[in-house]
Amino acid sequence: MWIRFVLYGLGGWCGEVVFTATTESLLRRDWRLLGTTYLWMFPIYGLLAIFYEPVHDLIRDYPWWVRAVIWSLGFTAVELAAGWLIARFSGRCPWDYVAAGKRFAINPYIRWDFFVVWAAIGLALEPVHDYLVDITPAIEQALRGA
């Protein structure tokens, strides 16, 4: 599971940099494609190995739209909890949507327009999860032999 924790953390970082670069560039017509993320995000994305995978195994036979709703609510709950905890620990949530003036901000930690984004990401991660489960034994064996 720790190998997948690291892979999800790294994948989340990369995905967030690409997402912020492309969306901000389109909105602001800034073609430098500047993408950002936070060090806090690595363990948050890594939590997919702990929380996402068991839920995916439980709901994989549900219709796609039910899974999409579950992913949206689950990711939103994690974003809310993580943002709140980081704000309590550090004094400010790094993705404070209210301070950034984001139009669909519900509070500093979550946004209405991300409900669809989280649903899509949750569905897109399903085959990724299955693939990572398939390749984890080979990675573990390679690390033991290294």
Side-chain angles (χ1 to χ4, degrees):
M1 177 188 350
W2 290 109
I3 290 171
R4 291 194 304 275
F5 182 95
V6 170
L7 292 174
Y8 283 124
L10 293 172
W13 263 351
C14 293
E16 186 167 357
V17 169
V18 170
F19 179 81
T20 57
T22 54
T23 56
E24 292 300 315
S25 294
L26 290 173
L27 292 173
R28 296 188 179 145
R29 297 178 190 245
D30 180 353
W31 303 115
R32 294 177 299 154
L33 297 175
L34 180 66
T36 61
T37 190
Y38 313 99
L39 290 177
W40 292 107
M41 298 313 295
F42 180 85
I44 294 169
Y45 289 127
L47 289 175
L48 287 167
I50 297 166
F51 295 120
Y52 179 91
E53 289 187 354
V55 173
H56 179 221
D57 290 336
L58 287 173
I59 69 170
R60 70 172 58 241
D61 294 328
Y62 290 18
W64 71 267
W65 60 270
V66 173
R67 296 192 321 270
V69 169
I70 291 169
W71 296 138
S72 183
L73 294 173
F75 285 20
T76 299
V78 169
E79 184 179 35
L80 177 65
W84 183 85
L85 286 169
I86 293 169
R88 293 302 168 260
F89 178 76
S90 71
R92 182 165 180 248
C93 174
W95 62 85
D96 187 329
Y97 297 130
V98 173
K102 297 298 181 181
R103 185 170 152 194
F104 297 107
I106 297 171
N107 59 40
Y109 317 122
I110 57 175
R111 295 166 46 174
W112 287 112
D113 56 329
F114 273 21
F115 281 82
V116 174
V117 173
W118 294 138
I121 290 173
L123 292 172
L125 280 171
E126 290 175 344
V128 173
H129 163 226
D130 293 337
Y131 177 72
L132 290 178
V133 168
D134 287 344
I135 67 166
T136 298
I139 295 171
E140 289 172 340
Q141 183 176 5
L143 290 174
R144 277 194 300 272

